[in-house]
Amino acid sequence: MKVLFNWLKDFIDIEENPSKIAENLTMVGLEIEQVIFTKELFKNIVIGKIVKVEKHPSSDKLKVCDVSIGSEILKIVCGAPNVEEGKNAVLALPGAELQGNKIEKVNIRGVESNGMLCSEKDLGLAIYSEGIILSNENLKLGKPVYQELYRDLDDVLLEINITPNRGDCLSHLGIAREISAITGKKLKKILSKPPKLFQQAKDFEIIIEDPKLCSRYTGKLVRNIEIKPSPNFIKVRLSLCGMRPINNIVDITNYVMLGYGQPLHAFDYDLITDKTIIVRRARNDEKTITLDGKERILNDRDLVIADPEKIIALAGVMGGANSEVNSNTKNILIESAYFDPPTIRKTAKKLNLGSEASYRFERGVDIGNVPIACEIAGQMMEEFANGQAICGVYDNYPLPYEDRIIKFRPNRCNGYLGTKLTLDEMEKRLVSLQFEVTKKRFEWDVKTPTFRNDISIEEDIFEEIARMGFYQEITTQLPNIPMKSREDISERKFERILLDALVDFGGNEIITYSFVREKELEKIRYDLTNKENFVYIQNPLSDDKTLMRPTLIASHLIVAEANHLRMNYDFIFFERGKCYFKLNDNGNEYKERKVIGLVFSGLLRSKEWYGQEEKIDFFSVKGFLEKLCERICKKKTTVQKIEQGSLPFLHPIESAYILLEDKKIGFFGRIHPDVLEKWDFKRELFVAEIDYNLLRKVFEKKENIYYSISKFPWVDRDITIIIDDKVSYDEVMKVLLKNSGNLVKQIKLVDLYKGEKLGENKKSLTFKLLYQHKDRTLSDDEVNEENSRIAKLLIEHFKAEFPK
Amino acid sequence: MDLEELESLRKQAKERIEKINNEREWIDTKAYYLGKKGIIPSLLSKLPKLTQEEKKIYGQSVNTLKVFIEELLEQQLKTIKEREIEKKLSQTTIDITLPGKFEIRSGTVHPISQVIDEIIDIFTGMGFEVAEGPELESDYYNFEALNIPEEHPAREMQDTFYISDGFLLRTHTSPVQIRVMEKREPPLHVICPGKVYRRDSDITHSPMFHQVEGFVVDRDIHFGHLKGVLTEFLRRLYGENIGVRFRPSYFPFTEPSAEVDIQCVVCNGKGCRVCKNSGWLEVLGCGMIHPYLFSVVGYDKEIYSGFAFGLGVERLTMLKYAIDDIRLFYENNLSFLEQF
Ligand SMILES: [Zn+2]
């Protein structure tokens, strides 16, 4: 919210400078976001006298004026119809800024113009101007406009971030109250005497159908008003506070709202049928046209102001077009009311009609201030619209405010805050905030002022006391945290080991959004047929259907594509993220599955001065995952073929499930060529996804039992066999492992060869076997014998042959 | 006999020996002086012709010269050998400035993860434990139980993504507070890191971002403890001398509530663009846990009290690395990631 320092001074004397006040307000919870010296916004705008007006040589509509700013006379081109010799005007010189437009020297159809003569609209002081500002007053030429014609432009604007609980601070009066509590200065009296309240009015009638939705409604009639522009101080103050000046009546309602916090509405009295106002719920599907010309369809949760024939306003939100103040308006009925905050909020939100008024009603206005604001507006309309206000305020108050008295224990307050405040100090602070305190021995009665509807429990009072000390006397202290067994140790450990391994293997961690567009999943051929399994977002940011992702693959391809576009081709990205599923149709049970997603692109090793480049392929991805699982779980993985079509984004041949302890924990493979076609990748891509919790389970079972290390030397022997190409490495390995006996410590495939020499559908495999005995040195003979036994066994088992 | 001759011989020998460059020359020189027909033996051959007195003096002098020459030769031989090794080595060159070739690909941890880990380390170091909660959350846990009823204006502070009637993407990590308190009894010292979602997207807002929630519930916990724990945390994160300030604010689930500012890390509190000239940067929100929450989970507020805090990881990370656009975190450009 924006408040003006000089306007605040209408409510309270302030000795401190604006920056001190700003600092103190921040420290009591009204955060000052910005302090603006408003004259800075009107730099290079000065008073000038139009000394000569001539026709523009090449335009009928334009004039060329000589404008004196005292020290010199400037040529200014002006298109305003009312430009007139001998009058004072407002001149924006080069360097000035008008509503965001920079003024510069310009050449207008061959004539140089050294600035611009301004209208009120140009200065932001009117929404419409017929011509430039002209004045007959005796003004000092060349002086800034904020010193001569619009002195109120020289002010200090505080931009305050008001938290949603502090509806009472949404006005100059409210901020002045806080300043009063800080500085101890008393507030000035608003009215010399309170307005006379009437329960019945002669000239109109107000009926409240549901007092819960409108517990107080006041009205005041002002006759024979004259619609015209507001005086300068109103225009300037409204404009600086961000509201457009319109006409005196509308401006006065806004001025009272910004000044006193009470939103008002001005009805054209003569447009109200039977002079009867009915505050009621709308009927279902009832329609009305609001001030902005739009038709609104309502229901019985909306509160409206109506006359016997029609809706004339949406209560607290917006007026109706049919009762709007217009240039013919003669008589005004001022509305000042208290509406139920949730009701206003619902309507404003539903119709997307947030306004300064609804903003305040939603946060709760001061019910005690309702008739006062009404009276002030009436008085201002007398003064600035030449109206005749009918004496007093009509007050329909069916549900009177009940005093709120809160039990307060000073001892508990100090205990809760960790302070040692004296009773006197506590009382002083509460009183300065206009609480009424009745002191008793252990428990005080604290009565809240009507404007503080945010205070309802004892702890709220604690905060009031604490904030008045800027939270500074609260001593900093560390609590005693007992040693205890923690439930999170094992997961934290797994997290760390996993992360270290992924990074050590060259992975760059990425974090992507948990939601994907449906069309992005379609781009990876993801099966979305069973919509009920997926978590769709009802109100996504864009128009595209968006869901919580069931796989990380799509998100990772997006990242890969973007990186390829930026010419980053070689990477291993990983993410620890979640996949999301709906468990039932009602949408009240969901599953979040943690996974580790990976995407591999480009080169495993680039070309170096000592070696050739190496591309990432199926086996480098497999190796990555094997080593990852081995490092984390100390266990070997196996693979299994993926059934046709079950993971349609993967290549049908170069893909596999990965298993730990015979349980599928994830999959990996090359991206399917059909998927590749839909993207713009510049390199080959592989992806993988591993279930976090399945991996973690194996990790937690990990048993590392030490085995004794043999002191005796090892020897190795090779076995080479030529075998049918269809026989997999795994099959051969299984036979080898099963039959290799106690002496074999390690078996490794060291060569794989296919070629014409061997004949079609044949391959040669060479294994290196490592022999070692734990208690003695092996002799050459026994190793040779054992090795040829194993070799023969393989030959027989697979009908293989030895190389010739 | 002429002792002066010996002296000149000595000088001559020193000069000659020190000029020797290779072994060949050295052998020749050694023979020249010490060989059978060398200078020293020839000098000694003159001895018999001398008187007893002369023999003694002259003999001693020649001997001294001999020792001198021997030592000098020995020394020179060493020098020659060293020079030869040096020469040999300098002939087999390598360019030590070539890039090394020990092949390990080293990756990086996302800056957001790094900061979360740092936060977790600080709090677990103080005795907190880590808890997690669901991201697909019910309206009840995300709002109702946290004292944010349906028509509360505070709901506007957090524009929400909905997934079904009554379910949404959590807008903060605070629901974990309720979930943990529901399941367990005090004392509790817990932090909950995680992803949260709000319908907002610009250079300082991301529809998904990370928060770390933390809370303590025990007997006799007061506002001073809240200040203590958070001041300690910020000092460990930003350094011992960081200025910290608590100022009143509002959250529906805490009372009293506070925002915590640190002295601007960019300008050290002097005022700059980043801190909007205030010298302070808002880094987290906190407060004493609102008694409403205790009533929801069935704790007696007359026995227990507690505090809670929530911090935005992205903001802390942006401040830490002077990053000005939050979207960089989710673009995952390799050139960005590799900087951390
Ligand atoms: Zn700064």
Side-chain angles (χ1 to χ4, degrees):
Chain A
M1 198 197 47
K2 295 171 173 169
V3 298
L4 290 166
F5 208 65
N6 288 337
W7 198 345
L8 286 173
K9 287 179 176 169
D10 291 355
F11 295 94
I12 185 171
D13 290 325
I14 304 175
E15 285 162 10
E16 294 80 1
N17 64 35
S19 61
K20 184 75 201 160
I21 290 291
E23 196 186 317
N24 287 345
L25 285 172
T26 295
M27 291 314 292
V28 298
L30 303 175
E31 186 194 354
I32 306 292
E33 292 182 319
Q34 228 180 337
V35 177
I36 298 169
F37 292 86
T38 53
K39 65 179 182 187
E40 297 294 314
L41 307 173
F42 297 90
K43 268 193 294 198
N44 296 318
I45 304 174
V46 300
I47 304 298
K49 184 172 189 153
I50 305 168
V51 289
K52 195 164 87 188
V53 179
E54 284 178 333
K55 236 184 89 5
H56 189 287
S58 52
S59 165
D60 289 342
K61 284 188 184 152
L62 295 176
K63 308 265 169 48
V64 180
C65 315
D66 285 350
V67 180
S68 165
I69 54 166
S71 56
E72 58 181 319
I73 290 176
L74 299 169
K75 281 247 181 292
I76 308 289
V77 177
C78 179
N82 64 336
V83 59
E84 193 182 329
E85 254 177 41
K87 296 247 175 168
N88 289 324
V90 174
L91 176 63
L93 298 169
E97 208 175 307
L98 295 175
Q99 310 289 297
N101 298 321
K102 282 222 165 65
I103 301 301
E104 282 159 20
K105 258 189 201 180
V106 281
N107 190 304
I108 301 173
R109 298 205 196 178
V111 179
E112 188 162 69
S113 182
N114 297 291
M116 180 180 139
L117 292 170
C118 305
S119 67
E120 287 207 316
K121 183 171 180 251
D122 295 326
L123 295 179
L125 300 177
I127 50 167
Y128 172 73
S129 292
E130 297 211 345
I132 57 169
I133 300 164
L134 292 175
S135 168
N136 290 321
E137 283 176 58
N138 186 18
L139 303 173
K140 286 194 184 124
L141 302 187
K143 283 271 177 195
V145 66
Y146 54 77
Q147 279 180 12
E148 279 293 329
L149 211 46
Y150 297 95
R151 284 160 184 259
D152 296 287
L153 287 175
D154 184 6
D155 207 330
V156 181
L157 185 75
L158 306 179
E159 276 200 48
I160 314 181
N161 180 12
I162 307 283
T163 54
N165 58 325
R166 293 304 302 274
D168 64 300
C169 287
L170 294 172
S171 67
H172 285 77
L173 170 63
I175 302 300
R177 278 193 296 244
E178 291 283 306
I179 294 172
S180 156
I182 297 167
T183 62
K185 278 257 166 19
K186 283 257 170 323
L187 289 169
K188 294 178 186 171
K189 246 190 163 150
I190 294 174
L191 288 171
S192 51
K193 55 178 196 265
K196 274 189 197 152
L197 302 179
F198 299 98
Q199 267 64 53
Q200 265 170 349
K202 203 167 71 203
D203 305 299
F204 56 94
E205 191 183 358
I206 291 167
I207 299 163
I208 298 174
E209 285 191 355
D210 190 343
K212 277 198 191 109
L213 301 190
C214 172
S215 46
R216 190 171 203 180
Y217 195 108
T218 63
K220 186 177 176 79
L221 184 61
V222 186
R223 288 192 185 277
N224 300 320
I225 54 98
E226 181 193 337
I227 304 273
K228 59 180 181 180
S230 298
N232 283 353
F233 82 96
I234 292 183
K235 282 193 281 201
V236 168
R237 285 182 169 183
L238 288 181
S239 170
L240 291 176
C241 289
M243 297 198 87
R244 291 274 198 75
I246 293 165
N247 60 44
N248 52 355
I249 299 300
V250 176
D251 292 352
I252 285 167
T253 62
N254 286 331
Y255 190 85
V256 171
M257 175 174 72
L258 297 186
Y260 303 87
Q262 173 66 45
L264 303 174
H265 191 69
F267 293 106
D268 184 328
Y269 175 74
D270 301 303
L271 297 177
I272 303 171
T273 307
D274 295 345
K275 313 302 168 218
T276 301
I277 280 183
I278 307 160
V279 186
R280 62 165 171 86
R281 287 171 190 272
R283 292 170 201 113
N284 283 327
D285 295 326
E286 194 172 356
K287 287 173 190 146
T288 188
I289 292 170
T290 41
L291 268 179
D292 52 8
K294 286 194 182 133
E295 188 183 71
R296 310 284 176 175
I297 301 167
L298 309 174
N299 64 35
D300 65 0
R301 294 176 75 196
D302 299 313
L303 187 68
V304 298
I305 313 298
D307 65 20
E309 278 180 352
K310 59 191 183 288
I311 292 175
I312 55 175
L314 294 175
V317 177
M318 196 178 245
N322 52 19
S323 60
E324 190 183 354
V325 173
N326 56 65
S327 52
N328 299 320
T329 301
K330 283 276 158 296
N331 304 306
I332 294 286
L333 181 63
I334 305 168
E335 166 202 284
S336 175
Y338 182 93
F339 299 118
D340 174 52
T343 304
I344 301 303
R345 188 183 136 78
K346 261 181 273 183
T347 301
K349 199 177 170 199
K350 184 183 74 182
L351 302 178
N352 202 9
L353 264 180
S355 63
E356 291 281 341
S358 68
Y359 191 77
R360 285 169 175 78
F361 281 123
E362 284 171 25
R363 282 154 179 75
V365 298
D366 177 5
I367 200 163
N369 189 43
V370 167
I372 296 165
C374 203
E375 176 66 21
I376 290 167
Q379 289 183 7
M380 285 181 77
M381 286 182 196
E382 282 197 304
E383 191 177 349
F384 303 115
N386 308 328
Q388 293 132 29
I390 305 304
C391 170
V393 171
Y394 169 75
D395 184 17
N396 190 341
Y397 198 179
L399 208 65
Y401 174 81
E402 280 175 32
D403 285 340
R404 195 180 293 146
I405 293 162
I406 296 164
K407 299 281 180 211
F408 169 78
R409 291 164 285 178
N411 256 339
R412 181 157 183 264
C413 181
N414 271 331
Y416 202 76
L417 297 174
T419 49
K420 295 187 180 97
L421 297 169
T422 62
L423 299 184
D424 285 349
E425 181 60 28
M426 292 188 195
E427 187 187 11
K428 194 185 120 203
R429 291 185 186 181
L430 291 176
V431 169
S432 76
L433 288 162
Q434 303 190 32
F435 290 89
E436 282 174 38
V437 179
T438 312
K439 288 210 282 190
K440 294 175 192 162
R441 192 137 167 229
F442 299 112
E443 200 175 75
W444 299 357
D445 285 339
V446 176
K447 190 169 119 186
T448 63
T450 54
F451 52 86
R452 290 304 300 271
N453 50 30
D454 59 317
I455 306 288
S456 57
I457 55 172
E458 193 181 16
E459 288 79 2
D460 293 333
I461 309 272
F462 297 166
E463 179 174 72
E464 292 304 300
I465 287 172
R467 76 184 179 93
M468 280 303 137
F470 301 169
Y471 283 179
Q472 268 161 15
E473 66 244 330
I474 299 167
T475 47
T476 297
Q477 199 178 326
L478 283 174
N480 260 330
I481 302 184
M483 300 268 281
K484 56 189 177 230
S485 67
R486 282 172 43 193
E487 292 180 3
D488 60 332
I489 294 282
S490 114
E491 172 144 22
R492 290 296 307 152
K493 189 172 164 193
F494 175 68
E495 283 262 325
R496 194 130 310 181
I497 287 175
L498 173 67
L499 183 63
D500 283 352
L502 287 163
V503 171
D504 289 353
F505 290 1
N508 294 102
E509 191 190 18
I510 58 172
I511 299 179
T512 58
Y513 291 136
S514 309
F515 32 79
V516 282
R517 296 190 172 125
E518 194 179 60
K519 65 181 184 199
E520 285 155 355
L521 287 172
E522 281 160 7
K523 267 174 88 179
I524 63 163
R525 310 204 307 173
Y526 195 88
D527 183 7
L528 284 168
T529 350
N530 296 321
K531 288 239 175 344
E532 63 274 12
N533 296 338
F534 301 108
V535 186
Y536 279 84
I537 294 174
Q538 293 179 333
N539 54 339
L541 270 174
S542 73
D543 288 341
D544 294 316
K545 276 193 182 168
T546 304
L547 60 155
M548 295 304 280
R549 59 185 175 192
T551 171
L552 306 194
I553 304 289
S555 320
H556 288 186
L557 293 195
I558 293 168
V559 170
E561 193 181 42
N563 270 284
H564 284 181
L565 206 69
R566 302 281 193 89
M567 301 175 77
N568 300 321
Y569 301 127
D570 309 320
F571 49 79
I572 300 170
F573 286 151
F574 72 89
E575 177 170 20
R576 298 166 295 161
K578 280 177 173 176
C579 297
Y580 306 82
F581 303 94
K582 197 151 88 178
L583 291 184
N584 67 10
D585 254 356
N586 308 331
N588 54 17
E589 248 186 280
Y590 298 93
K591 187 177 159 192
E592 298 174 19
R593 191 164 72 88
K594 274 195 191 174
V595 299
I596 304 147
L598 293 129
V599 55
F600 300 76
S601 160
L603 300 177
L604 189 64
R605 186 176 61 211
S606 53
K607 169 97 182 66
E608 299 289 348
W609 60 276
Y610 52 82
Q612 291 306 309
E613 64 175 37
E614 190 186 337
K615 276 188 188 164
I616 286 172
D617 62 12
F618 178 83
F619 292 104
S620 34
V621 175
K622 187 182 177 198
F624 185 103
L625 299 175
E626 280 170 346
K627 293 210 164 62
L628 183 75
C629 294
E630 208 176 317
R631 164 144 162 193
I632 294 169
C633 306
K634 299 281 172 225
K635 290 218 168 68
K636 299 251 187 242
T637 52
T638 53
V639 292
Q640 191 181 309
K641 214 172 147 37
I642 297 173
E643 316 81 68
Q644 182 110 36
S646 61
L647 295 173
F649 42 87
L650 289 185
H651 192 282
I653 312 293
E654 289 184 52
S655 64
Y657 288 117
I658 182 158
L659 292 79
L660 253 184
E661 298 191 319
D662 298 325
K663 203 165 171 183
K664 280 181 204 164
I665 60 158
F667 60 78
F668 66 99
R670 186 191 282 277
I671 292 293
H672 196 289
D674 290 353
V675 173
L676 285 181
E677 254 175 36
K678 300 177 186 163
W679 300 73
D680 189 14
F681 297 125
K682 314 287 187 202
R683 294 290 186 276
E684 289 169 48
L685 277 191
F686 292 83
V687 292
E689 217 169 81
I690 292 188
D691 189 285
Y692 177 94
N693 281 316
L694 293 176
L695 187 64
R696 194 181 143 200
K697 257 187 215 150
V698 182
F699 162 79
E700 269 160 18
K701 277 198 297 194
K702 181 173 85 178
E703 287 168 3
N704 256 344
I705 295 174
Y706 160 83
Y707 65 92
S708 61
I709 301 160
S710 171
K711 294 188 196 76
F712 298 92
W714 50 263
V715 276
D716 58 25
R717 293 288 184 275
D718 285 357
I719 296 176
T720 303
I721 55 168
I722 295 165
I723 197 168
D724 195 301
D725 197 17
K726 282 199 194 97
V727 181
S728 73
Y729 161 81
D730 212 29
E731 289 171 75
V732 181
M733 203 59 185
K734 268 187 189 139
V735 174
L736 265 173
L737 284 172
K738 199 174 154 199
N739 299 292
S740 54
N742 293 332
L743 297 181
V744 177
K745 292 290 156 213
Q746 200 188 73
I747 305 169
K748 196 176 164 190
L749 179 71
V750 291
D751 192 43
L752 164 68
Y753 175 77
K754 291 182 200 182
E756 281 173 29
K757 271 198 286 177
L758 299 177
E760 243 175 81
N761 304 326
K762 294 277 181 205
K763 64 185 169 194
S764 111
L765 297 173
T766 303
F767 292 92
K768 192 175 279 298
L769 284 74
L770 195 140
Y771 294 90
Q772 190 178 36
H773 196 286
K774 71 180 185 7
D775 300 322
R776 61 184 170 83
T777 304
L778 290 169
S779 73
D780 268 2
D781 284 349
E782 65 184 318
V783 171
N784 290 343
E785 195 180 313
E786 181 64 2
N787 200 55
S788 60
R789 181 188 70 80
I790 297 169
K792 270 188 206 129
L793 202 134
L794 280 183
I795 296 292
E796 277 163 29
H797 192 280
F798 291 106
K799 302 200 166 51
E801 45 193 295
F802 289 119
K804 278 148 208 159
Chain B
M1 205 53 236
D2 197 352
L3 289 178
E4 269 171 39
E5 193 198 337
L6 289 185
E7 183 51 32
S8 89
L9 256 175
R10 205 180 82 92
K11 275 189 193 153
Q12 191 191 57
K14 184 169 172 9
E15 219 169 283
R16 178 161 173 175
I17 292 168
E18 280 178 351
K19 272 189 194 148
I20 298 172
N21 257 334
N22 54 51
E23 233 163 312
R24 177 88 257 143
E25 262 177 61
W26 186 84
I27 290 165
D28 291 350
T29 311
K30 189 179 177 183
Y32 174 74
Y33 285 109
L34 304 172
K36 273 180 193 157
K37 290 170 189 170
I39 286 178
I40 297 291
S42 78
L43 286 175
L44 287 173
S45 66
K46 291 175 188 166
L47 268 183
K49 295 172 195 167
L50 300 176
T51 65
Q52 202 59 26
E53 191 67 6
E54 279 172 334
K55 253 186 206 169
K56 200 179 168 192
I57 298 169
Y58 186 73
Q60 238 165 33
S61 301
V62 173
N63 218 33
T64 311
L65 179 63
K66 188 186 168 204
V67 172
F68 173 76
I69 288 175
E70 278 168 355
E71 276 176 6
L72 210 57
L73 278 168
E74 232 18 71
Q75 185 58 44
Q76 190 59 21
L77 182 63
K78 241 169 119 188
T79 311
I80 293 168
K81 283 195 171 151
E82 274 168 18
R83 269 193 214 147
E84 267 170 12
I85 292 170
E86 242 168 71
K87 199 175 159 195
K88 226 183 235 168
L89 285 180
S90 71
Q91 276 161 354
T92 58
T93 57
I94 59 162
D95 175 1
I96 56 158
T97 64
L98 279 174
K101 64 175 193 182
F102 186 69
E103 268 182 58
I104 281 191
R105 231 185 133 115
S106 199
T108 51
V109 178
H110 196 283
I112 294 291
S113 297
Q114 288 190 30
V115 172
I116 291 178
D117 281 348
E118 206 176 337
I119 294 167
I120 289 177
D121 285 347
I122 293 173
F123 280 109
T124 50
M126 288 196 245
F128 283 66
E129 61 185 294
V130 181
E132 281 180 54
E135 293 167 29
L136 309 179
E137 189 52 282
S138 68
D139 189 279
Y140 174 77
Y141 283 107
N142 195 76
F143 291 126
E144 300 276 334
L146 290 167
N147 197 25
I148 316 172
E150 188 165 356
E151 298 312 328
H152 198 289
R155 286 210 178 187
E156 228 156 68
M157 294 159 91
Q158 309 180 352
D159 216 344
T160 312
F161 286 114
Y162 286 94
I163 53 175
S164 73
D165 256 3
F167 279 82
L168 42 82
L169 307 186
R170 68 174 175 196
T171 58
H172 46 192
T173 39
S174 308
V176 190
Q177 257 186 67
I178 302 288
R179 287 180 173 274
V180 172
M181 287 197 289
E182 263 180 355
K183 263 193 250 142
R184 296 167 57 183
E185 287 296 313
L188 292 171
H189 307 81
V190 180
I191 54 164
C192 337
K195 292 186 165 83
V196 300
Y197 304 86
R198 290 186 201 169
R199 275 193 93 232
D200 219 342
S201 186
D202 58 41
I203 66 163
T204 52
H205 297 91
S206 167
M208 179 187 90
F209 58 102
H210 297 77
Q211 274 191 342
V212 178
E213 183 84 6
F215 66 98
V216 167
V217 186
D218 203 348
R219 288 168 196 265
D220 302 320
I221 292 293
H222 58 63
F223 203 108
H225 294 131
L226 164 62
K227 279 181 80 172
V229 165
L230 292 179
T231 305
E232 183 61 24
F233 161 69
L234 290 168
R235 287 193 180 149
R236 291 195 197 176
L237 193 67
Y238 288 104
E240 217 32 58
N241 298 318
I242 191 82
V244 177
R245 142 180 123 166
F246 289 73
R247 59 183 163 79
S249 187
Y250 169 75
F251 306 103
F253 34 92
T254 50
E255 189 68 38
S257 306
E259 296 271 12
V260 186
D261 299 337
I262 56 165
Q263 212 168 45
C264 178
V265 288
V266 180
C267 64
N268 288 323
K270 286 184 203 81
C272 68
R273 195 180 55 87
V274 177
C275 59
K276 290 187 195 153
N277 282 316
S278 69
W280 294 97
L281 295 168
E282 190 180 312
V283 287
L284 53 87
C286 60
M288 297 296 289
I289 295 174
H290 197 286
Y292 179 83
L293 274 65
F294 284 171
S295 73
V296 162
V297 300
Y299 290 176
D300 187 343
K301 74 160 186 165
E302 298 296 327
I303 299 174
Y304 294 115
S305 51
F307 63 80
F309 53 89
L311 50 90
V313 179
E314 274 74 359
R315 183 167 164 75
L316 288 184
T317 314
M318 288 168 85
L319 288 178
K320 193 170 166 165
Y321 299 109
I323 294 167
D324 55 4
D325 187 342
I326 199 170
R327 292 171 292 202
L328 285 168
F329 292 128
Y330 303 105
E331 272 170 17
N332 297 298
N333 186 322
L334 184 63
S335 319
F336 174 78
L337 299 172
E338 279 178 336
Q339 294 177 33
F340 300 95

